[in-house]
């Protein structure tokens, strides 16, 4: 009776505290807590002794009577309530000075010694009775008592230093709650759903400290309470779910590849990622659990990679995980009902990382394509992602002209596969000309950032594949594209080093072959759009200095050398274009512009104010003569009309 009275008193102290709530609902005014906590410290030993004696009694009973069971259960509930009060006070940011002064100090471990000693005695009674009792009702009662003891010690998990007790608790959770519960206690489904709430709420704490048991417990998710529809259970499912990204980040990856620790950590990741994937697969659409699953994206950014403004990318564990773990994490992306742009950016960082395996890169593209088709990814984000990959993928570590090695060849092959995969994705979006219209602003933005020649070639290849006639592009977009194309082909000409005094295209040297490779997509665009070709030729005209309009003071040595190089490149590209029969029709419409270019080059060669070094002058003169010959033939010009 004394114990029943104590339970009533403790209940009054806690007022509206609910046995299975996640947070104990304590009074906001903690001024009286020291006296309450002292009473609890004195009474918990009495409660534990009472429970211990009662447990021995009921185990000796042939059949447990209802009154005895209710009494021992009520005692256990009061112990649980008392423990939660103490733990809550210990964890409170501003613990009362009076209370902290009576606690033994051991780092963060603060717990009244006497109380902790008697609570360990409670562990000696665990498990109570025979879990697999022959009588179903008896089994239910023992199960409820052992579950109650388990909850008490999960609140005390920080203070458990008895490996045997810890092992018994984890074995109970694994064997009974997660594996055997629904089979051996099939008639207690309702009890399971209600009682498991308390365990589920504390599950992240178990996983965080349980070492080798972590994997075994997480692997039992299929039979866990995630299948329950109980509203109270849902709140704890959510708490559990929210902790999974934290576990991924805490595991990290600081160990060398193929080391034993590395392989073990990979297995840890695999278990957690499997759990995440199956939650995504099993969560009903538009359900609260599915909504919480979507909210994981913010934390998962760190798992992939983050960047502060324009600083270096801080890669998360994903990059160095084994391929099977990377596959699991990639599959999780599909089940976000709306893929967050920030998470997509983090994934993009990983796609652009040199350490990512090509097969994983292509797999990411495949899964995101499926996500897009399932309406989980907006088209603007999707095509922006694809364009970014083409524009920013690091094909070579350095400039083309200075590096010729196996690494470059290998990366070139990967980029070709990437480009083909992306072109395939884009070609399936619908009307190609309309797709290009949607895509062009992304392409234009990336081109303005001056990516490498091979990246630029990849972007032009996408445009050609979608619509080389540029039917849906507005006039200003065609002009913008002509600017990018013109400067690109000039850069390609310079990089291929084909501008020599033996520039005759008939020789088809290796340098000319390189130039052809770079500008091939651009030539296809010029085949399809005379308007684009005309704008390009006009831009070339603007790049050739008009000596009649240039003050003598501007023609210093550096200016002359720089402009001589530009003239050389313009002449080379125009010469190249005039040797392509399919461009003759479009070039004919630019007859007057080409004539003007030839006249300006001729005046530069004859100007005393534009004195080029002998070698440069020879190169420009050779290129000019070759261009004049083919241009006069195509456009029916007299040599005298375009200078000497």
């Amino acid at each position: 009776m004394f114990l029943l009275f104590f339970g009533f008193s403790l209940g009054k102290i806690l007022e509206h505290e609910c046995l299975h709530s996640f947070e104990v609902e304590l009074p906001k005014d903690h001024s009286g807590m020291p006296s309450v906590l002292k009473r609890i410290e004195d009474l918990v030993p009495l409660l534990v002794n009472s429970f211990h004696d009662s447990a021995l009694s009921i185990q000796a009973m042939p059949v447990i009577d209802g009154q005895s069971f209710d009494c021992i259960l009520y005692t256990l509930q009061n112990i649980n309530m008392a423990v939660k009060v103490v733990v809550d006070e210990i964890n409170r940011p501003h613990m009362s000075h009076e209370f902290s002064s009576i606690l033994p100090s051991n780092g963060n471990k603060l717990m009244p010694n006497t109380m902790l000693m008697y609570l360990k005695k409670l562990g000696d009674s665990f498990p109570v009775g025979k879990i697999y009792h022959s009588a179903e009702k008896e089994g239910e009662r023992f199960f409820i008592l052992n579950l109650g003891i388990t909850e008490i010690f999960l609140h005390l998990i920080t203070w458990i230093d008895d490996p045997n007790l810890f092992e018994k608790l984890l074995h109970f959770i694994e064997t009974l709650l997660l594996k055997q519960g629904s089979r051996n206690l099939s008639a207690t489904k309702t009890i399971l759903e209600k009682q498991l709430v308390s365990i589920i709420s504390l599950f992240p704490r178990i996983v965080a400290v349980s070492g080798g048991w972590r994997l075994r417990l997480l692997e039992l998710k299929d039979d866990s309470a995630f299948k329950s529809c109980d509203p109270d259970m849902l709140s704890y499912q959510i708490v559990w779910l929210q902790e999974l990204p934290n576990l991924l980040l805490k595991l990290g990856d600081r160990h060398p590849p193929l080391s034993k620790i590395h392989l073990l950590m990979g297995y840890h990741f695999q278990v957690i990622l499997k759990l995440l994937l199956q939650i995504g697969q099993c969560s009903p659409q538009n359900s609260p659990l599915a909504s919480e699953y979507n909210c994981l994206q913010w934390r998962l950014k760190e798992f992939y990679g983050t960047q502060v403004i324009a600083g270096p990318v801080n890669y998360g564990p994903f990059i160095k995980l084994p391929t099977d773990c990377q596959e699991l994490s990639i599959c999780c992306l599909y089940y976000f009902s709306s893929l967050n742009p920030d998470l997509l950016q983090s994934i993009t960082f990983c796609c652009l990382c040199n350490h990512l395996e090509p097969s994983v890169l292509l797999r990411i593209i495949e899964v995101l394509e499926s996500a897009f088709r399932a309406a989980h990814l907006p088209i603007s984000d999707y095509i922006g992602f694809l364009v970014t990959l083409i524009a920013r993928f690091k094909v070579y570590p350095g400039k083309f002209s200075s590096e010729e090695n196996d690494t470059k060849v290998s990366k070139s092959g990967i980029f070709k596969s990437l480009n083909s995969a992306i072109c395939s994705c884009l070609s399936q979006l619908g009307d190609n000309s309309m797709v290009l219209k949607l895509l062009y602003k992304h392409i234009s933005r990336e081109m303005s950032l001056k990516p490498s020649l091979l990246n630029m070639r990849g972007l032009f290849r996408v445009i050609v594949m979608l619509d080389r006639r540029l039917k849906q592009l507005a006039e200003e977009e065609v002009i913008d594209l002509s600017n990018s194309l013109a400067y690109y082909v000039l850069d390609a000409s310079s990089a291929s080093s084909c501008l020599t005094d033996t520039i005759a295209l008939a020789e088809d040297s290796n340098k000319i072959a390189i130039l052809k490779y770079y500008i091939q997509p651009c030539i296809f665009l010029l085949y399809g759009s005379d308007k684009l070709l005309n704008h390009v030729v006009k831009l070339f005209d603007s790049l050739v200095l008009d000596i009649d309009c240039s003050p003598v003071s501007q023609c210093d040595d550096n200016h002359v050398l720089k402009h001589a190089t530009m003239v050389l490149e313009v002449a080379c590209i125009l010469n190249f274009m005039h040797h392509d029969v399919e461009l003759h029709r479009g070039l004919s419409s630019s007859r007057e512009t080409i004539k003007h270019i030839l006249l300006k080059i001729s005046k530069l060669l004859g100007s005393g104010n534009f004195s080029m070094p002998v070698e440069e002058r020879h190169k420009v003169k050779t290129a000019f003569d070759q261009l004049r010959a083919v241009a006069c033939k195509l456009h029916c010009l007299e040599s005298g009309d375009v200078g000497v």
Side-chain angles (χ1 to χ4, degrees):
M1 290 299 296
F2 169 77
L3 295 175
L4 293 178
F5 173 76
F6 167 73
F8 174 78
S9 301
L10 185 57
K12 291 294 288 181
I13 292 171
L14 300 182
E15 294 183 341
H16 305 296
E17 191 274 336
C18 176
L19 177 62
H20 291 299
S21 65
F22 181 61
E23 296 290 345
V24 181
E25 193 175 304
L26 293 171
K28 294 182 179 179
D29 182 6
H30 290 259
S31 59
M33 285 305 294
S35 61
V36 172
L37 292 167
K38 185 66 174 68
R39 289 171 60 192
I40 290 175
E41 184 182 0
D42 293 338
L43 291 170
V44 163
L46 298 176
L47 286 168
V48 172
N49 284 334
S50 174
F51 178 85
H52 184 72
D53 293 341
S54 299
L56 293 176
S57 297
I58 64 171
Q59 285 175 310
M61 292 179 182
V63 177
I64 306 176
D65 64 87
Q67 185 176 3
S68 297
F69 174 74
D70 289 342
C71 182
I72 191 171
L73 178 61
Y74 193 58
T75 302
L76 192 62
Q77 289 173 346
N78 276 284
I79 296 172
N80 183 42
M81 197 180 300
V83 166
K84 287 195 286 185
V85 172
V86 174
V87 171
D88 179 81
E89 180 65 14
I90 290 174
N91 292 331
R92 192 163 58 87
H94 303 290
M95 185 196 310
S96 62
H97 174 72
E98 295 89 345
F99 183 52
S100 62
S101 64
I102 68 172
L103 298 178
S105 178
N106 182 18
N108 291 326
K109 295 186 176 182
L110 300 169
M111 178 65 68
N113 280 331
T114 304
M115 182 174 167
L116 189 58
M117 180 181 68
Y118 274 90
L119 287 170
K120 288 180 179 179
K121 184 178 178 181
L122 181 64
D124 296 337
S125 304
F126 180 79
V128 179
K130 298 178 180 178
I131 297 177
Y132 307 106
H133 202 278
S134 57
E136 184 176 295
K137 191 169 185 179
E138 296 292 299
E140 287 184 14
R141 285 173 168 173
F142 283 126
F143 167 74
I144 293 170
L145 293 176
N146 285 306
L147 188 57
I149 296 173
T150 301
E151 182 185 357
I152 290 170
F153 280 106
L154 290 182
H155 286 297
L156 296 168
I157 200 165
T158 305
W159 294 274
I160 296 178
D161 55 6
D162 183 348
N164 293 328
L165 174 57
F166 198 65
E167 189 77 12
K168 286 193 296 182
L169 290 168
L170 293 173
H171 182 75
F172 175 78
I173 295 170
E174 180 191 43
T175 304
L176 184 58
L177 298 183
L178 302 180
K179 272 190 175 179
Q180 307 279 342
S182 60
R183 184 166 67 243
N184 292 352
L185 299 171
S186 57
T188 63
K189 182 178 180 181
T190 303
I191 297 176
L192 273 174
E193 291 188 352
K194 291 182 178 180
Q195 295 292 328
L196 281 175
V197 169
S198 56
I199 301 300
I200 292 298
S201 69
L202 298 166
F203 203 86
R205 194 179 302 175
I206 307 170
V207 174
V209 301
S210 58
W213 280 86
R214 177 188 292 118
L215 305 178
R216 293 165 61 178
L217 295 177
L218 287 174
E219 284 176 327
L220 300 174
K221 58 193 171 293
D222 291 337
D223 294 320
S224 72
F226 268 105
K227 295 184 178 180
S228 168
C229 296
D230 183 86
D232 291 329
M233 182 68 73
L234 176 63
S235 63
Y236 299 111
Q237 292 171 354
I238 290 172
V239 171
W240 186 8
L241 178 59
Q242 290 170 343
E243 287 298 320
L244 294 179
N246 294 336
L247 288 175
L248 289 173
L249 296 175
K250 287 178 181 178
L251 282 173
D253 188 7
R254 301 178 181 178
H255 306 287
L258 302 183
S259 68
K260 291 183 179 180
I261 297 179
H262 177 84
L263 295 175
L264 178 61
M265 298 297 281
Y267 185 51
H268 285 211
F269 276 110
Q270 185 182 65
V271 171
I272 298 172
L273 290 168
K274 278 184 179 179
L275 178 56
L276 271 175
L277 177 59
Q278 293 198 11
I279 294 172
Q281 292 170 333
C282 297
S283 300
Q285 189 175 9
N286 299 322
S287 67
L289 199 57
S291 176
E292 288 299 326
Y293 186 79
N294 279 323
C295 291
L296 297 180
Q297 296 183 70
W298 187 82
R299 288 305 311 274
L300 286 175
K301 291 188 304 178
E302 298 177 51
F303 174 70
Y304 291 98
T306 56
Q307 183 182 38
V308 179
I309 309 178
V313 176
N314 297 314
Y315 293 106
F318 173 82
I319 285 295
K320 293 185 179 181
L321 286 180
T323 305
D324 55 349
C325 292
Q326 290 177 326
E327 168 69 18
L328 287 170
S329 64
I330 293 167
C331 290
C332 289
L333 301 175
Y334 175 82
Y335 295 97
F336 293 121
S337 61
S338 179
L339 197 60
N340 188 286
D342 290 338
L343 179 60
L344 184 61
Q345 184 184 50
S346 295
I347 296 164
T348 305
F349 291 148
C350 293
C351 290
L352 298 176
C353 178
N354 289 328
H355 301 294
L356 190 69
E357 287 294 324
S359 59
V360 178
L361 169 61
L362 296 177
R363 179 60 175 154
I364 291 174
I365 295 173
E366 181 182 352
V367 170
L368 290 183
E369 180 187 19
S370 298
F372 164 72
R373 295 192 177 283
H376 298 170
L377 182 60
I379 187 170
S380 59
D381 291 347
Y382 176 54
I383 61 179
F385 164 75
L386 297 177
V387 170
T388 300
L389 291 191
I390 295 179
R392 303 187 188 184
F393 184 83
K394 297 179 181 66
V395 186
Y396 301 143
K399 293 184 179 179
F400 174 84
S401 59
S402 63
E403 297 195 16
E404 291 283 352
N405 51 45
D406 293 338
T407 302
K408 188 175 75 173
V409 173
S410 174
K411 295 289 282 185
S412 178
I414 297 169
F415 183 67
K416 187 177 294 185
S417 299
L418 171 66
N419 203 274
S420 297
I422 290 176
C423 284
S424 176
C425 292
L426 293 173
S427 66
Q428 299 176 46
L429 294 181
D431 185 326
N432 284 350
S433 60
M434 288 302 299
V435 172
L436 178 59
K437 178 70 174 177
L438 290 172
L439 198 67
Y440 186 73
K441 66 177 181 179
H442 297 283
I443 292 178
S444 177
R445 182 180 64 247
E446 292 297 335
M447 285 183 168
S448 69
L449 298 176
K450 303 297 182 184
S452 75
L453 290 175
L454 280 172
N455 294 105
M456 283 288 286
R457 184 184 186 275
L459 292 172
F460 283 117
R461 184 182 170 195
V462 168
I463 297 174
V464 171
M465 182 275 299
L466 291 174
D467 180 21
R468 72 178 189 176
R469 297 185 182 279
L470 312 177
K471 295 190 295 290
Q472 295 293 335
L473 293 191
E475 178 72 18
E476 59 271 19
E477 291 172 325
V478 174
I479 294 173
D480 177 74
L481 179 60
S482 70
N483 290 337
S484 298
L485 189 150
Y487 283 109
Y488 166 73
V489 295
L490 292 174
D491 289 342
S493 176
S494 177
S496 62
S497 303
C498 68
L499 304 178
T500 66
D501 54 353
T502 56
I503 200 171
L505 294 176
E507 296 181 9
D508 196 24
S509 66
N510 184 56
K511 294 176 180 179
I512 298 300
I514 293 173
L515 176 62
K516 285 182 176 179
Y517 173 79
Y518 275 127
I519 70 173
Q520 183 187 47
C522 302
I523 295 299
F524 286 147
L525 284 175
L526 298 177
Y527 289 165
S529 175
D530 290 347
K531 184 188 298 184
L532 180 67
L533 176 57
N534 290 337
H535 284 302
V536 169
V537 174
K538 287 178 181 178
L539 182 61
F540 286 161
D541 183 27
S542 69
L543 293 175
V544 177
L545 180 67
D546 189 342
I547 197 66
D548 292 338
C549 302
S550 177
V552 176
S553 60
Q554 287 188 4
C555 299
D556 54 56
D557 291 344
N558 289 335
H559 179 76
V560 168
L561 186 59
K562 181 179 178 181
H563 197 73
T565 302
M566 177 66 72
V567 171
L568 197 57
E569 291 171 356
V570 168
C572 173
I573 294 299
L574 286 175
N575 197 2
F576 187 95
M577 292 166 63
H578 275 79
H579 279 81
D580 191 323
V581 176
E582 292 189 52
L583 288 176
H584 284 183
R585 178 179 55 82
L587 288 170
S588 295
S589 63
S590 297
R591 178 179 183 273
E592 293 304 315
T593 306
I594 293 170
K595 178 181 176 181
H596 191 233
I597 292 172
L598 288 168
L599 282 170
K600 289 201 291 185
I601 296 176
S602 176
K603 289 180 179 180
L604 284 175
L605 289 169
S607 172
N609 293 331
F610 197 81
S611 180
M612 289 178 277
V614 175
E615 184 179 355
E616 296 301 319
R617 180 181 177 81
H618 174 71
K619 290 179 181 180
V620 173
K621 183 66 167 63
T622 301
F624 170 75
D625 290 342
Q626 291 176 353
L627 176 58
R628 181 176 60 176
V630 294
C632 287
K633 182 178 179 180
L634 175 61
H635 303 297
C636 301
L637 298 172
E638 295 293 334
S639 295
D641 295 337
V642 291
V644 180

